Structures are given as structure tokens and as C-alpha cells.
Amino acid sequence: MAEISAQLVKELREATNAGILDCKKALTEANGDFDAAVEVLRKKGLSSAAKKASRETHEGIIGSYIHPGSKMAGLVEVNCETDFVARTDQFQELARDLAMHVVAAGPLYVSREEVPAEVVEREKEIYSEQMANSGKPAQVLEKIVEGKLDKWYTEVCLLEQGFVKDPDTKIKDLLTNAIAALGENIKVNKFSRMAIGE
């Protein structure tokens, strides 16, 4: 096995924000392959992010974004575990990006769990009526309705939406990556969007 150079460890640390020891271990595990080491760190970070999801988040900031021309604005309360993390540039940039996303995408709810049951039922009824004369079996119609409901969630729920700066990344994945990078649980508590004339 090749010797892991300090320069390679330094480059991996700069690319991932992981600790020096973690970078060295990842490079050793990946036999000096930089890209494979990044993947090792990501897997470890994402699995540790899942463990952090149940931890309390009593600190944080309110991220804000005012669109050029001052006709639209967004506020987002983003919570974390400590004031130390809340003051980091990475956390503050995340909060601002989320506020910008709220302005651009106009979600109505933070998550699926927040959508009132009567609103979900109304959507299901609409989709069922749309498919009523299709002649398809009931179990097929049920799956189609569920598929349409899933698509609707991606339109109205912040965590389900594709991030405005990178539509292939959902907001919930953006948060998971931030949890992995910052080492604390992070949650969006609430948001508000304002636009002139709305």
C-alpha cells in the first residue's frame, strides 16, 4: 500500500471539511484513492447524520433573503444544537440559501407531516375524480393517485422540493449534507414568504 502523504490529507480536508484523522483513515481505507476517500467520508458522515436526527435543536438563526427589486422576500427559521454552529459561515449560508429557495419555489408547508389531513384528502379526491372514467382497476387507480400525491408534495413541501441552485438535490438532502458537515442536527422550523401584491 502506498504511503499517504500529508499533502493528500490536507487536500482531502479542504475538500470535505472532515477532521485530519478522519481524512487519513479514509485515505488509508481507500488505498490512497482521493475520490474513493471522499466517498468513504460521505458515507460515514451521512450515517452519523441519521443518528443525529433525534437530537434537540434549540439554537439557530433566522435566514433572510430579499430578491433584487425588493418585491419578494423570504424568512426561514433554521435550528441547530449549539450557538457555536449557528454562528458558522456554512450554517448562515445554508439559512440564506433556504430563504432564497422559499422566495423562488413558494412552498406552503415544511414537510408532508405538516400538511393538514383534510387538504391531503381533498387532493386525493381530485386525482380520483380525474381518473374515474379511465377504466383502470381500483388497485391501479390507487397507485396512480399515490404517485400524483407524491408529485404534489414536491410542489408544496419545502423538504421535498429540488433545491433552486441544484434541482437534482432535494432540500431534505441538503439538510442531511449540512448535518454531516457540521456535526449537529439541523431542522427547518418554519418559514414565511412575502411578495408585493400577493
Side-chain angles (χ1 to χ4, degrees), residues 93-136:
E93 185 181 342
L94 172 69
R96 184 178 185 280
D97 280 349
L98 289 170
M100 178 178 43
H101 176 87
V102 164
V103 169
L108 302 175
Y109 309 97
V110 172
S111 65
R112 288 180 184 217
E113 295 74 30
E114 223 180 68
V115 183
E118 61 272 14
V119 174
V120 174
E121 286 308 311
R122 189 179 71 231
E123 288 299 313
K124 282 183 178 178
E125 283 174 26
I126 290 168
Y127 302 141
S128 295
E129 284 177 27
Q130 288 174 349
M131 303 303 296
N133 298 325
S134 67
K136 295 186 169 143

Side-chain angles (χ1 to χ4, degrees), residues 13-89:
R13 178 170 164 66
E14 288 170 358
T16 63
N17 288 325
I20 292 172
L21 286 176
D22 290 332
C23 289
K24 189 164 185 173
K25 285 179 189 172
L27 282 163
T28 303
E29 192 177 320
N31 293 322
D33 182 327
F34 187 86
D35 293 332
V38 169
E39 197 60 34
V40 167
L41 286 172
R42 285 190 67 217
K43 286 177 183 170
K44 285 183 181 171
L46 296 179
S47 67
S48 69
K51 292 177 192 167
K52 293 177 176 80
S54 63
R55 298 195 330 209
E56 292 292 319
T57 55
H58 295 299
E59 293 294 334
I61 61 170
I62 296 174
S64 63
Y65 175 79
I66 299 176
H67 193 67
S70 300
K71 301 282 186 186
M72 290 187 285
L75 296 172
V76 180
E77 181 185 335
V78 187
N79 300 118
C80 58
E81 295 173 45
T82 64
D83 185 48
F84 174 77
V85 164
R87 287 182 283 149
T88 64
D89 290 342

Side-chain angles (χ1 to χ4, degrees), residues 123-160:
E123 288 299 313
K124 282 183 178 178
E125 283 174 26
I126 290 168
Y127 302 141
S128 295
E129 284 177 27
Q130 288 174 349
M131 303 303 296
N133 298 325
S134 67
K136 295 186 169 143
Q139 65 270 28
V140 172
L141 287 177
E142 197 174 308
K143 288 205 183 297
I144 292 171
V145 168
E146 285 303 317
K148 285 179 175 272
L149 196 59
D150 280 341
K151 183 173 184 332
W152 178 74
Y153 281 131
T154 67
E155 295 167 5
V156 299
C157 297
L158 175 66
L159 297 180
E160 305 279 332

